[in-house]
Amino acid sequence: MPLLIWNEELETGIDVIDQQHKRIVELINQLNLVSKGKADGNVGDVLAELVDYTLSHFVFEEELMEEAGYPFSKAHKRVHDIFTARVNEYKMRFDAGEDVTDALRDMLSRWLFNHIKGDDKAYARVVKRHLERTTSWQPRPRRPWYARLFGT
Ligand SMILES: [Fe+2]
């Protein structure tokens, strides 16, 4: 499977979200390379980071949508929850010794691009307006996902 290429169709116009989406794409590509032996690293480590980062990103997005008063944030969260359950299932199978890397990577990449182009773009206008109004907006540092997404 070819590497995923970021394109402007995937931009939500919300910088903090676009950066996180790009990082997820980067991790999927890294998983692809490592699993094919084309890059150094351990498949399990990359997989764990990809899953952890993606799930942290979901929580971040959900809080932001809710804070912005996006009317479909609950429905969006349900989509994340279904996807999270699927990812965890793959992760458990991997931990049990099954080689799920190709299947997980394909599922993730297909799902991610569709999700960004559809569901994520749908909240962009409302969230963007919210962020523009609240110029002092900062991610809340005590949240568990903070270190994962912002590296402190
Ligand atoms: Fe989302």
Side-chain angles (χ1 to χ4, degrees):
M1 167 177 154
L3 294 181
L4 297 179
I5 315 250
W6 185 265
N7 64 70
E8 59 184 23
E9 238 193 306
L10 298 164
E11 307 264 341
T12 63
I14 302 161
D15 196 47
V16 67
I17 294 288
D18 289 337
Q19 293 311 319
Q20 291 175 11
H21 285 158
K22 282 180 186 165
R23 177 72 187 135
I24 296 173
V25 167
E26 233 173 64
L27 285 166
I28 294 173
N29 284 336
Q30 203 187 334
L31 182 66
N32 191 24
L33 292 173
V34 171
S35 70
K36 299 243 177 323
K38 291 180 181 164
D40 288 338
N42 176 282
V43 172
D45 291 346
V46 182
L47 194 63
E49 192 180 350
L50 173 60
V51 170
D52 192 27
Y53 190 93
T54 304
L55 303 189
S56 301
H57 162 70
F58 285 170
V59 178
F60 176 81
E61 221 182 53
E62 287 158 15
E63 288 202 354
L64 194 54
M65 277 187 295
E66 212 162 295
E67 211 179 280
Y70 178 59
F72 305 107
S73 54
K74 283 212 165 57
H76 194 130
K77 185 181 181 319
R78 271 199 296 277
V79 174
H80 284 174
D81 289 346
I82 292 166
F83 183 70
T84 300
R86 282 172 71 188
V87 168
N88 281 331
E89 203 183 299
Y90 274 108
K91 182 79 174 49
M92 267 167 6
R93 282 165 57 192
F94 177 82
D95 290 343
E98 204 182 318
D99 182 9
V100 295
T101 321
D102 284 358
L104 175 63
R105 195 197 52 225
D106 292 352
M107 191 272 284
L108 263 175
S109 44
R110 230 188 355 257
W111 185 88
L112 182 75
F113 277 20
N114 284 333
H115 182 68
I116 293 176
K117 283 189 214 163
D119 296 338
D120 287 349
K121 280 207 167 177
Y123 72 61
R125 198 176 52 84
V126 174
V127 168
K128 222 176 153 183
R129 206 176 45 205
H130 171 71
L131 292 177
E132 279 160 7
R133 277 194 196 136
T134 37
T135 43
S136 59
W137 183 87
Q138 285 293 326
R140 288 169 243 168
R142 280 189 301 277
R143 299 287 178 185
W145 42 258
Y146 187 85
R148 169 58 65 204
L149 299 175
F150 297 99
T152 44

Short mmCIF file of all heavy atoms in Angstrom, two decimals, residues 21 57-58 61-62 65 76 79-80 111 115-116 119-120 123, ligand 1:
data_model
loop_
_atom_site.label_atom_id
_atom_site.label_comp_id
_atom_site.label_asym_id
_atom_site.label_seq_id
_atom_site.Cartn_x
_atom_site.Cartn_y
_atom_site.Cartn_z
N HIS A 21 -4.04 15.82 12.78
CA HIS A 21 -4.36 14.90 11.68
C HIS A 21 -3.10 14.53 10.89
O HIS A 21 -2.91 13.39 10.51
CB HIS A 21 -5.38 15.54 10.73
CG HIS A 21 -6.78 15.57 11.30
ND1 HIS A 21 -7.74 16.44 10.86
CD2 HIS A 21 -7.37 14.83 12.27
CE1 HIS A 21 -8.87 16.23 11.53
NE2 HIS A 21 -8.66 15.27 12.40
N HIS A 57 -6.33 12.32 20.39
CA HIS A 57 -6.84 13.32 19.45
C HIS A 57 -8.38 13.35 19.47
O HIS A 57 -8.98 14.42 19.44
CB HIS A 57 -6.32 13.02 18.04
CG HIS A 57 -7.10 13.70 16.97
ND1 HIS A 57 -7.05 15.07 16.78
CD2 HIS A 57 -7.98 13.22 16.05
CE1 HIS A 57 -7.86 15.39 15.78
NE2 HIS A 57 -8.43 14.29 15.33
N PHE A 58 -8.99 12.18 19.53
CA PHE A 58 -10.46 12.13 19.57
C PHE A 58 -11.00 12.89 20.78
O PHE A 58 -11.94 13.67 20.67
CB PHE A 58 -10.95 10.68 19.64
CG PHE A 58 -10.86 9.93 18.36
CD1 PHE A 58 -11.07 8.56 18.33
CD2 PHE A 58 -10.57 10.57 17.17
CE1 PHE A 58 -10.99 7.84 17.15
CE2 PHE A 58 -10.50 9.87 15.97
CZ PHE A 58 -10.71 8.50 15.98
N GLU A 61 -10.66 16.57 20.26
CA GLU A 61 -11.64 17.06 19.30
C GLU A 61 -13.03 17.14 19.92
O GLU A 61 -13.75 18.12 19.73
CB GLU A 61 -11.67 16.06 18.13
CG GLU A 61 -11.75 16.68 16.77
CD GLU A 61 -11.80 15.62 15.69
OE1 GLU A 61 -12.67 14.72 15.74
OE2 GLU A 61 -10.96 15.68 14.79
N GLU A 62 -13.38 16.11 20.69
CA GLU A 62 -14.70 16.07 21.32
C GLU A 62 -14.88 17.23 22.29
O GLU A 62 -15.94 17.87 22.33
CB GLU A 62 -14.88 14.73 22.05
CG GLU A 62 -15.09 13.56 21.08
CD GLU A 62 -14.74 12.21 21.71
OE1 GLU A 62 -14.62 12.13 22.95
OE2 GLU A 62 -14.60 11.23 20.94
N MET A 65 -15.27 20.52 20.26
CA MET A 65 -16.59 20.62 19.63
C MET A 65 -17.67 20.99 20.63
O MET A 65 -18.54 21.81 20.37
CB MET A 65 -16.99 19.25 19.04
CG MET A 65 -16.43 18.96 17.69
SD MET A 65 -17.11 17.42 17.03
CE MET A 65 -16.47 16.20 18.13
N HIS A 76 -20.99 12.91 16.67
CA HIS A 76 -19.60 12.79 16.25
C HIS A 76 -18.82 11.91 17.22
O HIS A 76 -18.03 11.05 16.84
CB HIS A 76 -18.97 14.19 16.14
CG HIS A 76 -17.68 14.23 15.40
ND1 HIS A 76 -17.43 15.12 14.39
CD2 HIS A 76 -16.55 13.47 15.51
CE1 HIS A 76 -16.20 14.91 13.92
NE2 HIS A 76 -15.64 13.91 14.61
N VAL A 79 -19.43 8.29 16.64
CA VAL A 79 -18.61 7.77 15.52
C VAL A 79 -17.20 7.43 16.02
O VAL A 79 -16.64 6.38 15.72
CB VAL A 79 -18.54 8.80 14.36
CG1 VAL A 79 -17.59 8.33 13.28
CG2 VAL A 79 -19.93 9.03 13.78
N HIS A 80 -16.63 8.35 16.84
CA HIS A 80 -15.31 8.09 17.43
C HIS A 80 -15.34 6.82 18.28
O HIS A 80 -14.41 6.02 18.25
CB HIS A 80 -14.88 9.26 18.32
CG HIS A 80 -14.41 10.47 17.58
ND1 HIS A 80 -14.10 11.64 18.20
CD2 HIS A 80 -14.18 10.68 16.26
CE1 HIS A 80 -13.72 12.53 17.31
NE2 HIS A 80 -13.75 11.97 16.11
N TRP A 111 -10.53 4.91 6.80
CA TRP A 111 -11.48 5.54 7.72
C TRP A 111 -11.09 6.99 7.99
O TRP A 111 -11.93 7.88 7.96
CB TRP A 111 -11.53 4.75 9.03
CG TRP A 111 -12.57 5.29 9.96
CD1 TRP A 111 -13.88 4.93 10.00
CD2 TRP A 111 -12.39 6.32 10.94
NE1 TRP A 111 -14.53 5.67 10.96
CE2 TRP A 111 -13.65 6.52 11.55
CE3 TRP A 111 -11.31 7.08 11.36
CZ2 TRP A 111 -13.84 7.45 12.56
CZ3 TRP A 111 -11.50 8.01 12.36
CH2 TRP A 111 -12.75 8.19 12.96
N HIS A 115 -13.33 10.22 7.33
CA HIS A 115 -13.81 10.91 8.53
C HIS A 115 -13.42 12.39 8.50
O HIS A 115 -14.23 13.26 8.81
CB HIS A 115 -13.24 10.23 9.78
CG HIS A 115 -13.72 10.84 11.06
ND1 HIS A 115 -15.03 10.75 11.49
CD2 HIS A 115 -13.07 11.56 11.99
CE1 HIS A 115 -15.15 11.40 12.64
NE2 HIS A 115 -13.97 11.90 12.98
N ILE A 116 -12.19 12.67 8.13
CA ILE A 116 -11.74 14.07 8.09
C ILE A 116 -12.53 14.85 7.04
O ILE A 116 -13.02 15.95 7.31
CB ILE A 116 -10.22 14.15 7.77
CG1 ILE A 116 -9.40 13.56 8.92
CG2 ILE A 116 -9.81 15.59 7.52
CD1 ILE A 116 -7.89 13.51 8.65
N ASP A 119 -17.05 14.14 8.50
CA ASP A 119 -17.46 14.53 9.86
C ASP A 119 -16.63 15.68 10.42
O ASP A 119 -17.16 16.57 11.09
CB ASP A 119 -17.35 13.33 10.81
CG ASP A 119 -18.31 12.22 10.43
OD1 ASP A 119 -19.31 12.53 9.74
OD2 ASP A 119 -18.07 11.06 10.79
N ASP A 120 -15.32 15.66 10.20
CA ASP A 120 -14.49 16.70 10.80
C ASP A 120 -14.70 18.05 10.10
O ASP A 120 -14.79 19.09 10.75
CB ASP A 120 -13.01 16.32 10.76
CG ASP A 120 -12.69 15.22 11.77
OD1 ASP A 120 -13.56 14.93 12.62
OD2 ASP A 120 -11.58 14.67 11.72
N TYR A 123 -17.73 20.13 11.39
CA TYR A 123 -17.69 20.97 12.61
C TYR A 123 -16.77 22.18 12.44
O TYR A 123 -16.73 23.07 13.28
CB TYR A 123 -17.30 20.16 13.85
CG TYR A 123 -15.85 19.71 13.93
CD1 TYR A 123 -14.80 20.64 13.95
CD2 TYR A 123 -15.52 18.36 14.03
CE1 TYR A 123 -13.47 20.24 14.02
CE2 TYR A 123 -14.20 17.95 14.09
CZ TYR A 123 -13.19 18.89 14.08
OH TYR A 123 -11.88 18.50 14.15
FE FE B 1 -13.37 13.36 14.36
#
